[in-house]
Amino acid sequence: MSGIKTLGQFIIEKQADFSYAKGELSRLLRDIGIAAKIVNREVNKAGLVDILGDAGTVNIQGEGQKKLDVFANTQFIAALTSGGECCIVATEEEDDFVPIDSPVSKNAKYIVCIDPLDGSSNIDVNVAVGTIFSIYRRKSMEGLATLADVLQKGTEQVAAGYVIYGSSTMLVYTTGKGVNGFTLDPSIGEFCLSHPNMKVPKDGSIYSINEGNYVHFPMGVKKYIKYAQVHDEASNRPYTSRYIGSMVADIHRNLIKGGIYIYPTTASSPNGKLRLLYECNPMAFIVEQAGGTASDGFRRILEIEPVELHQRSSIFIGSEKMVKMAEEMMATYAVSDSNTKIA
Ligand code: P6P
């Protein structure tokens, strides 16, 4: 074990960073890590057991749920319930928030917003999927926590992270003091520190967007895509297009190599597709902590005031210089876009 630092050891070590923490946040992060290992075990044997395919149910988003979506959702809620540090779970897979009212959760201080299995349409074709989570302290002081405790701006997050179930399984998280990545070592069943102090390159040459929606993109996005495709060696263009269809996988690659991920408004997603509370906010917190940028094309993601549980947002996230360039184009063409909308 020489030289290996497990997630548990790291969390305890960093606990001293929090004057108010008496170990609750550490235990909460541990609980999430345990559930992630259980989900990883099922993701890794999908295809061998009857856990592929559709669950035959539809979530509030109107999306068909995969069996693994439901399994992952159940595992994270169970881990957060038994861990006793969480008082409410807001999850993509439940219509409403899930109050955690168990004997061990009486004094729970934390809210968890989670996408238990992001990119699940990729499961059946063996492409990387992920879990995304966001942690807040409850604002209410007594009684059962309410929706008001959940609807907090991204700037209020105390921690955020994701798990990527890919060629290896990694857990990447921040508590506001940098970003660290842990790779699961199946031989010992532990997440081990493999990517300390992760930083997004300030510039990059990878853009991630579903260009199938091109005709419905705002003009600023269309202009950015064409900018990315111009041959100009001095600015390392044309960029490379990489789009996996799993936000976690696309953003994780861009976090390491540099790049931009954009999910703008489209005809089928006039407010954007990604959910603010459990996709955009946690990924924005992580990327900003790693020195990157995240906005909806105009506003910092973390400053957006949530008004509903499954609120959606556009998202432009990744290397600072690339996001700024895309935002400049969004601002330049915002007028023509609004005229188009009027028309
Ligand atoms: P589209 C997965 O459903 C997801 O929420 C993200 O992980 C992913 O980047 C995006 O939606 C893919 O959406 O419309 O391009 O298939």
Side-chain angles (χ1 to χ4, degrees):
M1 291 286 280
S2 62
I4 291 176
K5 184 166 289 183
T6 67
L7 175 63
Q9 290 167 330
F10 186 88
I11 290 170
I12 297 296
E13 205 175 270
K14 296 297 178 185
Q15 184 174 294
D17 290 345
F18 297 95
S19 54
Y20 58 73
K22 299 180 188 64
E24 300 99 333
L25 182 59
S26 302
R27 283 191 293 274
L28 182 55
L29 288 166
R30 176 211 61 198
D31 298 339
I32 290 172
I34 291 168
K37 287 192 269 191
I38 294 170
V39 170
N40 175 68
R41 184 187 61 201
E42 294 307 302
V43 168
N44 279 350
K45 65 185 181 186
L48 296 175
V49 295
D50 178 25
I51 200 155
L52 281 180
D54 297 331
T57 51
V58 176
N59 65 19
I60 191 170
Q61 335 285 340
E63 296 165 344
Q65 291 175 302
K66 299 287 187 181
K67 290 175 185 171
L68 262 179
D69 278 327
V70 176
F71 175 83
N73 189 54
T74 303
Q75 291 306 318
F76 280 103
I77 291 176
L80 293 169
T81 301
S82 60
E85 304 301 346
C86 174
C87 57
I88 275 191
V89 180
T91 162
E92 175 179 319
E93 303 306 332
E94 302 282 349
D95 297 2
D96 202 349
F97 63 81
V98 179
I100 306 294
D101 185 14
S102 70
V104 294
S105 307
K106 285 290 173 237
N107 302 313
K109 296 186 179 65
Y110 292 101
I111 315 286
V112 175
C113 301
I114 189 165
D115 182 356
L117 205 64
D118 175 67
S120 54
S121 57
N122 282 317
I123 292 166
D124 297 1
V125 295
N126 207 9
V127 169
V129 292
T131 296
I132 312 172
F133 62 90
S134 173
I135 301 174
Y136 295 88
R137 287 174 69 81
R138 68 178 289 180
K139 294 291 189 191
S140 56
M141 301 309 287
E142 57 193 7
L144 286 180
T146 67
L147 182 61
D149 286 298
V150 178
L151 299 181
Q152 298 185 48
K153 287 200 309 190
T155 48
E156 297 301 304
Q157 291 175 96
V158 294
Y162 62 81
V163 182
I164 178 168
Y165 310 97
S167 48
S168 66
T169 295
M170 278 190 70
L171 187 150
V172 174
Y173 84 98
T174 183
T175 54
K177 295 182 183 298
V179 179
N180 292 281
F182 299 79
T183 299
L184 183 64
D185 180 342
S187 68
I188 57 173
E190 292 282 3
F191 282 106
C192 301
L193 183 63
S194 55
H195 297 66
N197 195 24
M198 297 176 79
K199 292 294 180 193
V200 187
K202 287 298 181 188
D203 202 357
S205 54
I206 296 172
Y207 72 103
S208 310
I209 188 167
N210 183 344
E211 295 191 54
N213 297 316
Y214 182 86
V215 295
H216 299 296
F217 283 155
M219 184 55 71
V221 172
K222 291 179 177 177
K223 292 294 185 184
Y224 184 75
I225 290 172
K226 292 310 167 194
Y227 167 83
Q229 294 169 344
V230 166
H231 189 102
D232 174 46
E233 290 177 15
S235 57
N236 207 17
R237 289 180 287 155
Y239 292 157
T240 294
S241 173
R242 287 285 184 275
Y243 192 72
I244 298 171
S246 283
M247 179 192 202
V248 171
D250 278 313
I251 292 180
H252 181 72
R253 181 206 49 246
N254 293 350
L255 179 58
I256 291 172
K257 293 191 169 184
I260 183 171
Y261 170 94
I262 302 175
Y263 207 110
T265 57
T266 65
S268 55
S269 303
N271 297 313
K273 177 183 181 185
L274 281 308
R275 273 58 57 144
L276 178 63
L277 285 179
Y278 40 79
E279 292 171 323
C280 298
N281 271 339
M283 297 311 269
F285 187 23
I286 293 164
V287 167
E288 283 198 3
Q289 279 291 308
T293 303
S295 76
D296 65 358
F298 303 101
R299 295 173 297 172
R300 186 180 175 216
I301 288 287
L302 298 184
E303 294 290 350
I304 297 175
E305 197 71 50
V307 295
E308 59 181 49
L309 202 56
H310 299 289
Q311 181 171 330
R312 296 173 188 265
S313 173
S314 298
I315 186 165
F316 296 59
I317 184 170
S319 295
E320 183 180 19
K321 280 185 73 175
M322 300 179 84
V323 174
K324 294 298 180 202
M325 175 65 78
E327 287 172 344
E328 283 171 16
M329 294 185 183
M330 288 298 285
T332 303
Y333 294 95
V335 173
S336 65
D337 281 329
S338 55
N339 291 341
T340 307
K341 276 186 186 150
I342 293 165

